[in-house]
Amino acid sequence: MRASAVSLLSIFFLISISCSKKDTEEIKPTVGDVTQSVYASGVVKAVGQYTVYSTVNGVLQKIKVAVGQSVKEGQLLFELEQEKADLNTENARLAYQLSQESNHYIQDKISEMEMKVQAAKDKLALDESIYNRNKRIKQYQIISEVDFERVELGYKSSKINYETAKKQLAQLKAQLQNDQSRNNINLKISQKSESDFSVKSAFSGQLFDIPVKEGTLITTQTPLAIIGESNSFLLELEVDENDMVLVNLGQKVLVTMDSYKGQVFEAVVDKIYPIMQERSRTFKIEAHFMKPPQKLYPNLTAEANIVIKTKKKVITIPKSYLIQGQYVLVNKDEKRKVKIGLSDYQKAEILEGLQAEETIYKPQ
């Protein structure tokens, strides 16, 4: 019984001390610096980082590179199964060769038509000459009206035949050119499609990841690899639309990362994407480290505060001592209205309503 009483007294004593401490949580404002900042979150990315995709669907037949190695622009990365593409290319090549062989036949027809055109032209010249001569002597009534009409009709027929022959010749030449062009284009398209089954690097850099395996069915939406510059990194951050109007190029950024707990790194905003991402209602910005950490990897998470403005030697209080963002407690239970200036996530600047030597109390 005595031990129980002592324990109860001890607990009561501790509670009393705790309540006493809680009741007497009082501070005086401090004079110091306060910084207004905008919160942003994002990831570390390699400079020039991009994801490799295939432009065609197919089965991944061969991976020609390994994670961590350096690659050059135009280097072969992956090979997709392309048997069908090879067959299409061969068909196009055969069609092109066949059109080349048939050119001799068409050229003979063109030569024949050119002869017909020349014959029609010569006949037109002769009939035109006869027509003009008879037209001149008609006034002397040397030729009858019927004979003149026959001559005139012959001239007009020759003119029509000549124009028809020229059109037929032009059509033959156009047909030849179109057939050649069409078969040549089909061959080039097939050859291009065949090359699409070989995926190459668009830039030089380091290969950070290959999230696929050989034998996998690949679509144009399947990420094949991630490539970027080695040992050169930037921050890709997202800023809420409500804060974006405060962000400008050249502003300092204070960065923290889970990989480097307790450390703060400085960066500078050097790129702002001028369009809001509709899904997240955020804007994307990029910043570069002033002095980067010793080791960095793509997709490391980061949190940042973009410094908007800093004031030095101002009266500040912890934000936890504010009531409704505009009142403080003085004389333990008296609410007093104050005017707030800059604030960060810990403290707020007091512009009016409180002196540095006054005591304030933490609200319960």
Side-chain angles (χ1 to χ4, degrees), residues 203-254:
F203 304 99
S204 299
Q206 183 177 0
L207 205 158
F208 293 108
D209 190 22
I210 302 176
V212 289
K213 295 181 179 179
E214 292 180 358
T216 306
L217 177 63
I218 300 301
T219 71
T220 55
Q221 302 298 317
T222 305
L224 300 180
I226 297 175
I227 296 175
E229 291 187 20
S230 59
N231 301 319
S232 184
F233 297 90
L234 56 81
L235 287 159
E236 189 176 279
L237 304 171
E238 291 185 349
V239 179
D240 188 88
E241 62 174 317
N242 296 316
D243 299 323
M244 193 58 209
V245 293
L246 300 173
V247 179
N248 293 298
L249 295 174
Q251 289 174 329
K252 182 193 288 187
V253 185
L254 303 178

Side-chain angles (χ1 to χ4, degrees), residues 22-44:
K22 193 172 183 181
D23 290 340
T24 57
E25 267 192 280
E26 58 184 54
I27 62 166
K28 289 185 177 182
T30 58
V31 176
D33 302 341
V34 63
T35 300
Q36 181 187 11
S37 62
V38 165
Y39 175 78
S41 62
V43 294
V44 173

Side-chain angles (χ1 to χ4, degrees), residues 338-349:
V338 291
K339 185 176 180 181
I340 303 299
L342 293 184
S343 64
D344 55 26
Y345 63 95
Q346 285 185 331
K347 55 190 177 182
E349 175 193 9

Side-chain angles (χ1 to χ4, degrees), residues 54-259:
S54 171
T55 58
V56 294
N57 301 331
V59 176
L60 180 57
Q61 194 171 51
K62 189 70 177 177
I63 298 176
K64 308 290 286 185
V65 286
V67 172
Q69 79 172 75
S70 296
V71 295
K72 295 182 179 180
E73 181 180 348
Q75 181 175 339
L76 180 62
L77 305 177
F78 305 95
E79 288 181 348
L80 276 65
E81 190 176 276
Q82 58 182 45
E83 182 178 353
K84 185 177 179 181
D86 291 341
L87 292 174
N88 290 336
T89 301
E90 186 60 26
N91 284 337
R93 185 178 290 107
L94 290 173
Y96 179 73
Q97 289 176 352
L98 185 60
S99 69
Q100 293 295 100
E101 292 171 1
S102 66
N103 284 349
H104 300 293
Y105 171 72
I106 298 177
Q107 286 289 359
D108 290 342
K109 291 189 69 175
I110 289 175
S111 298
E112 183 181 342
M113 183 54 66
E114 286 175 341
M115 292 174 64
K116 287 182 178 180
V117 169
Q118 186 61 45
K121 183 179 181 181
D122 293 342
K123 189 173 186 310
L124 173 61
L126 177 61
D127 289 344
E128 184 179 12
S129 176
I130 294 172
Y131 169 73
N132 289 332
R133 186 169 63 252
N134 282 277
K135 187 178 180 181
R136 287 194 300 271
I137 65 176
K138 181 186 175 186
Q139 58 184 331
Y140 302 108
Q141 298 181 347
I142 297 175
I143 184 172
S144 67
E145 190 69 30
V146 173
D147 289 338
F148 179 75
E149 289 178 356
R150 188 181 295 113
V151 170
E152 185 179 27
L153 181 60
Y155 164 63
K156 290 181 178 179
S157 295
S158 294
K159 192 173 184 180
I160 292 172
N161 290 337
Y162 174 60
E163 294 297 330
T164 302
K166 284 201 302 182
K167 287 181 180 179
Q168 290 175 343
L169 176 61
Q171 288 173 351
L172 268 177
K173 289 182 176 180
Q175 180 185 347
L176 175 62
Q177 185 175 1
N178 289 341
D179 287 346
Q180 288 179 332
S181 298
R182 182 173 61 253
N183 289 315
N184 189 31
I185 289 170
N186 288 338
L187 177 59
K188 287 182 178 179
I189 290 174
S190 296
Q191 290 173 336
K192 175 63 173 64
S193 298
E194 191 176 30
S195 68
D196 287 341
F197 286 82
S198 299
V199 182
K200 299 179 180 179
S201 178
F203 304 99
S204 299
Q206 183 177 0
L207 205 158
F208 293 108
D209 190 22
I210 302 176
V212 289
K213 295 181 179 179
E214 292 180 358
T216 306
L217 177 63
I218 300 301
T219 71
T220 55
Q221 302 298 317
T222 305
L224 300 180
I226 297 175
I227 296 175
E229 291 187 20
S230 59
N231 301 319
S232 184
F233 297 90
L234 56 81
L235 287 159
E236 189 176 279
L237 304 171
E238 291 185 349
V239 179
D240 188 88
E241 62 174 317
N242 296 316
D243 299 323
M244 193 58 209
V245 293
L246 300 173
V247 179
N248 293 298
L249 295 174
Q251 289 174 329
K252 182 193 288 187
V253 185
L254 303 178
V255 184
T256 59
M257 292 183 290
D258 289 340
S259 302

